[in-house]
Amino acid sequence: MQIKSNNFIPAAQIGINDAEQAAAVRKGTTGAYNNRLAAVFADGKAHGEAMRRQAAAAKRRTLKHLPDLLEQAEARMQANGTVVLWAESAEEANQHVLDIAQRHAVKRVAKAKSMLSEEIGLNAVLQSADIEVVETDLGEYILQINGEKPSHIVAPIVHKSKESVRDLFIDKHAMPYTDDAGEMTQFARQILREKFLSAEMGITGGNFIIAETGSVCLVTNEGNARLVTTIPPVHVAVVGIEKLVGTVEEYATLTQMLTRSATGQTMTVYTHMLNGPRRPGEKDGPEHSYVILIDNGRSKIYASNYAEALACIRCGACLNGCPVYRSTGGHAYGWVYPGPIGAVITPLLQGLENAKQLPHASSLCGMCKEVCPVDIDLPRMLLDLRHDLVEVGVTDRTWDWGIAGWKTVNKSPRLFELSGKAAARGGRFAPSQLPGPLGGWTMYRSLPSFAPKSFRQMWRERNSDE
Ligand code: SF4
């Protein structure tokens, strides 16, 4: 997926002005936010906070021992009969999937939702090799037939209204008119069922891999991942190396926090623990099972001050709580991962120069940290990224000049006083809309009026009166 994150400001403007999208995002995120609150604190505040601390500690332990856990997971998965492949880059990961598909003469792939597959651009690679890829998560399927990208890491079509989905199905599939979401789902299900039955390969991501058992764990609500991982003879899981957890016990805590934080459920409808291919005597499951462990920039993050970002379990709670995301929607962020976690990992994975506006796409209100089930300090990382932007010199020129001017004035008492006087005298003639690049500041706010006298002036006058 081509990165467009340096276009954040105009893209955000489009998102804010799109009334239908704004209403859909507001409704979706508000509902998810409230559901999370109810689910995380269902057994009281203290219990919810204790679970959160436990989940955060489990992920920190995993990160501390990540290299060892990856080796342990590889050995366990191999013992389960899974072929484990490693990929340093997106290209290498895609080549692995392509090789597997060609080895098994695959013509159609049924795919469950995977943000990592979006990150590496897997669909385009398979399609260019004449392999049909069918997204089987309902939201992803809707996006696929409309040529769109997800705008949320858990609810990919949070930006779409029911009416727009209805019109799309009528347009693309001649669906009989209905306003009933259940009927629309049934309609899509019939189309997808036929695709499941004829796919030679199923592709999923992985919410977790448990190192001590070698299990690939998935949480879903639609049941499509169960079909993707049991009907086709080949199953491939593409999983980021940060998705490890050490033990089943840690997994139990993390998966509960994931579902509570993502959708407000104590458990999702389907919870999968996949342990390799079908064994003799088993009735279903793939004949061949592959797991591709993908780095694609994660080792670099692991070695940096931002390693904490790898604790993310992709629950989406920080998106639902973020006032910026809730206003702009996810497409404004210009790459795969939107919201506060996207504002942190996009510059880290794609380069600061390609996402220089994202660290500023936050009011630093702290909500993202407050709702994060693994207590990632996103505001700290956003501030550090702003610092890095200045260090490596990829800030906006106008901004640089503005800061340089502000610094010069504030370092000199004389200039400070003079500028205060000038602002007090000239401020009343200033237009309500500032011109040029300064205009962005007054687009949504009024220019504050300056006090007629500065504090220094009043201080001097008071002292001279005594
Ligand atoms: S940073 Fe935290 S809140 Fe945001 S998606 Fe990741 S785990 Fe969820």
Side-chain angles (χ1 to χ4, degrees):
M1 182 176 171
Q2 197 196 345
I3 182 160
K4 295 182 187 150
S5 300
N6 280 343
N7 202 35
F8 176 79
I9 292 172
Q13 199 64 63
I14 293 170
I16 290 165
N17 292 338
D18 183 336
E20 189 181 332
Q21 173 183 303
V25 173
R26 201 164 40 246
K27 186 173 167 207
T29 52
T30 306
Y33 178 82
N34 291 335
N35 291 343
R36 172 203 161 266
L37 266 184
V40 171
F41 301 114
D43 296 315
K45 182 95 180 147
H47 181 261
E49 286 301 342
M51 270 179 69
R52 190 165 171 258
R53 278 198 300 277
Q54 213 174 318
K59 259 318 213 177
R60 299 304 182 284
R61 261 195 311 277
T62 304
L63 285 181
K64 192 169 169 203
H65 303 291
L66 189 58
D68 293 339
L69 290 175
L70 281 165
E71 283 184 15
Q72 187 188 0
E74 179 186 34
R76 286 305 314 164
M77 287 191 280
Q78 285 170 339
N80 292 342
T82 297
V83 177
V84 181
L85 299 163
W86 298 83
E88 199 179 332
S89 63
E91 294 71 30
E92 202 179 337
N94 288 332
Q95 192 58 51
H96 280 320
V97 181
L98 198 53
D99 290 346
I100 296 166
Q102 286 168 344
R103 193 175 316 137
H104 294 282
V106 171
K107 284 280 152 221
R108 176 178 282 167
V109 168
K111 198 161 152 274
K113 182 176 168 300
S114 156
M115 292 309 287
L116 180 54
S117 74
E118 297 281 342
E119 178 186 322
I120 61 176
L122 178 59
N123 287 13
V125 171
L126 291 174
Q127 283 157 351
S128 67
D130 281 336
I131 296 168
E132 185 191 2
V133 183
V134 184
E135 294 288 352
T136 62
D137 172 273
L138 182 58
E140 291 282 349
Y141 178 68
I142 289 165
L143 296 177
Q144 187 178 34
I145 61 174
N146 203 32
E148 279 184 86
K149 293 290 174 194
S151 70
H152 189 288
I153 58 180
V154 172
I157 55 165
V158 70
H159 61 289
K160 293 191 93 61
S161 64
K162 184 177 72 174
E163 291 70 28
S164 67
V165 173
R166 174 200 64 203
D167 294 346
L168 182 69
F169 280 174
I170 291 173
D171 183 35
K172 301 281 181 185
H173 291 312
M175 180 185 75
Y177 186 94
T178 178
D179 264 334
D180 186 283
E183 284 179 24
M184 292 182 216
T185 307
Q186 282 304 330
F187 181 81
R189 183 172 284 175
Q190 281 165 17
I191 299 171
L192 289 172
R193 192 53 62 110
E194 185 259 320
K195 306 277 188 191
F196 282 123
L197 295 173
S198 56
E200 297 98 356
M201 185 160 123
I203 297 180
T204 65
N207 292 101
F208 302 100
I209 291 182
I210 307 173
E212 71 173 355
T213 60
S215 313
V216 176
C217 306
L218 294 167
V219 289
T220 70
N221 275 319
E222 296 175 15
N224 61 314
R226 178 149 297 176
L227 297 174
V228 165
T229 55
T230 51
I231 296 178
V234 182
H235 170 233
V236 179
V238 288
V239 190
I241 56 170
E242 82 282 17
K243 292 297 183 80
L244 265 281
V245 293
T247 63
V248 175
E249 204 174 51
E250 287 173 337
Y251 161 72
T253 304
L254 284 162
T255 200
Q256 285 188 67
M257 282 310 275
L258 170 60
T259 57
R260 282 167 204 245
S261 306
T263 54
Q265 294 165 286
T266 44
M267 266 181 98
T268 40
V269 180
Y270 298 90
T271 300
H272 313 264
M273 293 171 81
L274 309 169
N275 293 300
R278 182 192 308 192
R279 289 172 180 74
E282 288 182 347
K283 289 202 174 84
D284 58 19
E287 291 157 29
H288 306 277
S289 165
Y290 297 86
V291 170
I292 305 176
L293 291 166
I294 302 174
D295 186 320
N296 204 30
R298 285 156 177 77
S299 293
K300 217 171 77 199
I301 298 178
Y302 188 63
S304 74
N305 283 341
Y306 301 97
E308 199 190 348
L310 297 176
C312 175
I313 56 174
R314 304 281 190 269
C315 72
C318 59
L319 282 64
N320 301 329
C322 175
V324 176
Y325 177 90
R326 289 167 73 136
S327 306
T328 64
H331 288 149
Y333 290 78
W335 197 53
V336 179
Y337 303 106
I341 185 63
V344 168
I345 60 173
T346 304
L348 296 175
L349 290 173
Q350 290 286 306
L352 269 176
E353 66 287 0
N354 294 315
K356 55 187 177 186
Q357 292 175 351
L358 293 192
H360 294 282
S362 167
S363 64
L364 299 178
C365 65
M367 179 58 86
C368 48
K369 178 167 164 34
E370 191 177 318
V371 298
C372 179
V374 286
D375 198 26
I376 299 176
D377 196 349
L378 291 161
R380 190 274 295 169
M381 286 190 276
L382 287 166
L383 273 174
D384 283 355
L385 282 168
R386 292 180 191 185
H387 178 83
D388 293 351
L389 280 168
V390 176
E391 285 286 298
V392 297
V394 287
T395 44
D396 195 288
R397 270 292 159 86
T398 322
W399 179 257
D400 289 346
W401 289 334
I403 292 289
W406 181 87
K407 198 168 136 191
T408 311
V409 169
N410 278 271
K411 272 171 77 177
S412 155
R414 181 88 193 114
L415 273 180
F416 186 83
E417 186 160 11
L418 275 175
S419 62
K421 277 184 185 160
R425 287 201 190 130
R428 71 191 112 122
F429 304 112
S432 56
Q433 263 289 297
L434 290 174
L438 299 174
W441 206 88
T442 48
M443 204 179 288
Y444 300 105
R445 342 168 161 79
S446 317
L447 194 64
S449 48
F450 286 88
K453 287 182 186 174
S454 69
F455 173 78
R456 286 159 170 252
Q457 228 176 325
M458 287 193 283
W459 184 260
R460 264 199 304 267
E461 284 172 10
R462 193 180 122 168
N463 287 342
S464 66
D465 289 347
E466 283 169 359

